Amino acid sequence: MTGSGSAAPSRALDNQDISHFVDTSDEWIASRTGIRQRRLAQPDQSLKTIAAAAARNALEMAGITPLDVDLIILATSTPDDLFGTASQIQAELGATKAVAFDLTAACSGFVFGMVTAAQFIHTGAYQTVLLIGADLLSRWVDWSDRRTCVLFGDGAGAIVMQANPDINHLLGFELRSDGTQNSCLTLAYQPQPRELTAETIVGQGNFQPIQMNGQEVYRFAVKKVPEVIEKALFRAELSVAQVDWLVLHQANQRILDAVADRLGIPAVKVISNMARYGNTSAASIPIALDEVVREGRIKPGDVIAASGFGAGLTWGATIFRWGK
Ligand code: UT7
């Protein structure tokens, strides 16, 4: 784990601003979620440009150039192009030797991507992987639905993972999916029948805005996230006390507090930046990680427990050591 970077649109929308177009208040949003503002991409901004900015910062910290990258994995649910945006980022960076693909696992995307990247490194297939988590959920939020529109924001984070023949820094992981609960959180395609011939009808439609059963997802997160972290720690042969930092998907401060409490991890070890960004989906863990790395709080050798959870439903945890 040799470099991190992040980027977010400069336009900020605070809770007070939202109360001008839906029936809500700064008091409700801040007390129920911990969120105070979120960044929003403007119509002329793309996932590609924001993700590439985060990626450049990560490459710079790692001290490598785009030409050193073998593989780019873009964890996103909000690509600029449904065929994938990773290749566009590869071109934008000039990472001409890298193969690039998108990975979709909603808010768990970064954690799933980290495990995927590590498999390529462990087999010896690739030496240097650029893993990006980026989402522009503002494109898909129903801005008239106060139950969801207050939660989400836009941004991107990235890390560089490089082969080290002597040490494996991904110490343990656990990934899970439960499609039976898919309807709890969706950004679903809705087809409309379109008749081509009398016998042939195709379904052409659009994706519908985010729908969430907040209470169900809340209960799921508070129960399942501690379980996967404990499982990943078991695989890493580490105890909870050996975790230096807990970096959870930034969905709700109350979820962070409840998970830390269940695990017995003190608040000083829990990284939280959702007050400033809201829920940025696949970007939330790498943005939070990057900020703390750049503050110098996370130091080389520190043990980090990261956990993502969200639509699918998907959830997972990785235990890793920061640094070379
Ligand atoms: O990234 C994917 C993972 N997503 C998550 O982890 C989200 C998990 N869920 C949550 O974080 C919480 O469930 C929410 C923050 C979404 C909602 O908080 P809650 O404490 O579960 O609120 P609630 O849904 O039980 O709603 C309580 C009340 C309702 O009013 P009534 O029925 O009691 O009169 C809602 O209509 O709050 C109302 N409400 C609002 N009021 C003001 C819902 N949204 C708002 C709002 N402003 N924005």
Side-chain angles (χ1 to χ4, degrees), residues 253-274:
Q253 186 62 44
R254 285 155 54 211
I255 295 177
L256 267 60
D257 295 344
V259 170
D261 195 46
R262 283 199 184 190
L263 290 167
I265 294 180
V268 288
K269 292 184 174 183
V270 181
I271 308 299
S272 172
N273 68 359
M274 85 189 68

Side-chain angles (χ1 to χ4, degrees), residues 14 55 136 142 178 187 229:
D14 66 23
L136 304 183
D142 176 351
D178 180 4
L187 198 176
I229 292 174

Side-chain angles (χ1 to χ4, degrees), residues 2-323:
T2 55
S4 67
S6 58
S10 54
R11 176 81 187 96
L13 186 78
D14 66 23
N15 294 346
Q16 195 68 38
D17 296 329
I18 296 187
S19 71
H20 292 138
F21 57 87
V22 289
D23 181 14
T24 191
S25 63
D26 177 53
E27 198 282 327
W28 192 96
I29 303 169
S31 63
R32 298 278 178 140
T33 70
I35 298 166
R36 294 203 171 267
Q37 68 166 39
R38 66 290 292 145
R39 307 292 195 86
L40 300 182
Q42 301 303 284
D44 62 348
Q45 292 180 301
S46 64
L47 188 81
K48 177 187 78 175
T49 52
I50 295 166
R56 285 193 193 96
N57 291 338
L59 295 174
E60 191 184 7
M61 187 188 288
I64 61 171
T65 74
L67 287 175
D68 297 315
V69 178
D70 302 314
L71 170 65
I72 298 171
I73 299 176
L74 171 66
T76 189
S77 307
T78 55
D80 294 331
D81 182 329
L82 269 187
F83 286 148
T85 301
S87 296
Q88 292 181 39
I89 295 169
Q90 181 242 27
E92 175 84 4
L93 295 172
T96 48
K97 293 182 189 156
V99 63
F101 63 83
D102 290 24
L103 177 155
T104 302
C107 302
S108 310
F110 186 78
V111 165
F112 280 44
M114 182 184 283
V115 175
T116 305
Q119 306 313 304
F120 283 108
I121 291 173
H122 291 161
T123 60
Y126 299 123
Q127 303 291 305
T128 300
V129 184
L130 173 63
L131 170 64
I132 306 167
D135 269 307
L136 304 183
L137 284 177
S138 66
R139 289 175 169 176
W140 295 105
V141 161
D142 176 351
W143 286 103
S144 66
D145 176 8
R146 69 175 185 175
R147 291 166 304 149
T148 51
C149 77
V150 301
L151 303 173
F152 299 104
D154 301 337
I159 61 168
V160 175
M161 296 170 63
Q162 293 186 271
N164 179 336
D166 303 320
I167 316 166
N168 174 13
H169 276 185
L170 180 62
L171 307 170
F173 69 85
E174 177 74 8
L175 306 180
R176 304 297 302 270
S177 300
D178 180 4
T180 65
Q181 295 199 69
N182 181 265
S183 60
C184 289
L185 181 47
T186 58
L187 198 176
Y189 181 74
Q190 194 170 67
Q192 300 290 341
R194 180 175 167 188
E195 196 174 298
L196 301 181
T197 70
E199 295 82 32
T200 314
I201 302 169
V202 290
Q204 285 205 315
N206 288 301
F207 287 91
Q208 300 302 305
I210 294 169
Q211 302 247 352
M212 181 170 74
N213 181 333
Q215 290 185 357
E216 278 298 317
V217 177
Y218 187 97
R219 271 194 289 272
F220 142 78
V222 168
K223 180 167 188 300
K224 298 292 187 181
V225 170
E227 285 176 13
V228 279
I229 292 174
E230 278 173 344
K231 197 77 178 262
L233 279 170
F234 175 76
R235 294 192 198 287
E237 298 181 8
L238 291 176
S239 68
V240 170
Q242 288 170 291
V243 172
D244 295 306
W245 303 101
L246 183 64
V247 189
L248 300 181
H249 168 49
Q250 307 282 299
N252 186 324
Q253 186 62 44
R254 285 155 54 211
I255 295 177
L256 267 60
D257 295 344
V259 170
D261 195 46
R262 283 199 184 190
L263 290 167
I265 294 180
V268 288
K269 292 184 174 183
V270 181
I271 308 299
S272 172
N273 68 359
M274 85 189 68
R276 287 175 287 119
Y277 293 98
N279 177 345
T280 57
S281 193
S284 84
I285 292 174
I287 294 176
L289 182 70
D290 180 53
E291 287 194 342
V292 185
V293 166
R294 283 172 193 272
E295 283 166 14
R297 287 164 67 202
I298 290 182
K299 299 193 171 52
D302 281 359
V303 172
I304 298 163
S307 180
F309 52 90
L313 296 178
T314 54
W315 66 107
T318 52
I319 312 297
F320 60 96
R321 213 178 272 286
W322 186 252

